[in-house]
Amino acid sequence: MQQNRLRQLFLLEEKDRILLRCLFEPADPDALERLYQDLDFDAERQEHLLFLSRLSQKNGFAQVPQPLVARMKGLIRYHMVNNVLLMQGVLEITDLLREKGIPVMLIKGAAFSACYDRMQPRLMWDTDIAVPYQMADEACQMALSAGFAMRGTSPHAVDLVRGNYQVDLHRVVFKRGGEKRAEEIWQKAQKILFQGRELFVPDLAD
């Protein structure tokens, strides 16, 4: 996993590396100014825009050209609302499963949203949860009976949708490793309390 993260860092564009450095050391005003000057808000990737907007907000939008300030604030508000709506969908399906004794693990963006600063918007177009491997088929049928529709399937997950709620229901937490690896992750999973519900998240080492 560490090798994959290092590979991802090497593949980052220079503008993304600048933003990443700003997380761990004081922001370079000149580097940020160049980012603002070169920014095409309509063509840029959403990941980069949200990252830059959050960093700019942290710095009080200093040096940000005035026309960009309103768009950055609007982008942040949009993703904050979108995150809340997506997590509401997670809570509905987790309540359904927990009533039948099926434990639920939040993974990926859903886990970050539950465990860290919930007022910080994250780029999320859907949410991901996992259930124990042997309970996955039962969990899927319960979701379908509750009005969720199956949008797609793969060996490791089922994509479920109902209205604006999009939830990926995983039978394995990560694509690699299969059932055995999934069991190991569940054995080390950490309990959390989120919105009054007892849920699980992967151990940080995973």
Side-chain angles (χ1 to χ4, degrees), residues 156-168:
H156 69 280
V158 175
D159 299 340
L160 301 169
V161 61
R162 189 178 72 184
N164 292 324
Y165 301 151
Q166 301 179 53
V167 181
D168 289 355

Side-chain angles (χ1 to χ4, degrees), residues 35-115:
L35 288 181
Y36 297 136
Q37 290 175 348
D38 297 338
L39 182 64
D40 184 341
F41 207 94
D42 295 313
E44 187 55 77
R45 303 182 339 269
Q46 284 285 306
E47 295 93 336
H48 182 81
L49 286 176
L50 185 57
F51 199 175
L52 180 59
S53 297
R54 286 179 55 184
L55 180 62
S56 301
Q57 183 185 52
K58 182 180 177 181
N59 294 331
F61 294 102
Q63 296 181 288
V64 181
Q66 196 57 39
L68 283 180
V69 174
R71 299 194 70 176
M72 286 183 168
K73 289 181 177 179
L75 184 72
I76 291 170
R77 285 194 299 270
Y78 169 81
H79 283 287
M80 287 181 66
V81 172
N82 189 57
N83 289 178
V84 170
L85 291 175
L86 288 173
M87 291 304 291
Q88 182 60 38
V90 165
L91 292 178
E92 289 196 15
I93 197 169
T94 56
D95 286 347
L96 176 72
L97 299 180
R98 290 174 65 248
E99 285 178 5
K100 299 299 183 181
I102 299 179
V104 175
M105 183 186 299
L106 305 178
I107 59 177
K108 300 185 180 180
F112 278 98
S113 291
C115 293

Side-chain angles (χ1 to χ4, degrees), residues 17-28 55 58-59:
R17 293 185 185 183
I18 292 173
L19 293 181
L20 194 59
R21 284 197 297 271
C22 291
L23 290 178
F24 303 102
E25 56 191 54
D28 180 348
L55 180 62
K58 182 180 177 181
N59 294 331

Side-chain angles (χ1 to χ4, degrees), residues 122-189:
R122 300 180 184 281
L123 191 69
M124 296 168 56
W125 303 118
D126 58 16
T127 46
D128 295 81
I129 63 173
V131 297
Y133 191 91
Q134 302 86 347
M135 297 181 173
D137 291 337
E138 179 185 0
C140 181
Q141 289 303 315
M142 290 175 61
L144 294 177
S145 298
F148 283 86
M150 192 181 301
R151 187 179 60 178
T153 62
S154 68
H156 69 280
V158 175
D159 299 340
L160 301 169
V161 61
R162 189 178 72 184
N164 292 324
Y165 301 151
Q166 301 179 53
V167 181
D168 289 355
L169 176 63
H170 290 243
R171 65 175 63 245
V172 296
V173 180
F174 303 115
K175 293 180 182 179
R176 296 182 180 179
E179 181 179 359
K180 182 178 179 181
R181 175 63 175 143
E183 290 178 355
E184 293 174 352
I185 294 173
W186 270 102
Q187 289 171 1
K188 296 189 296 180

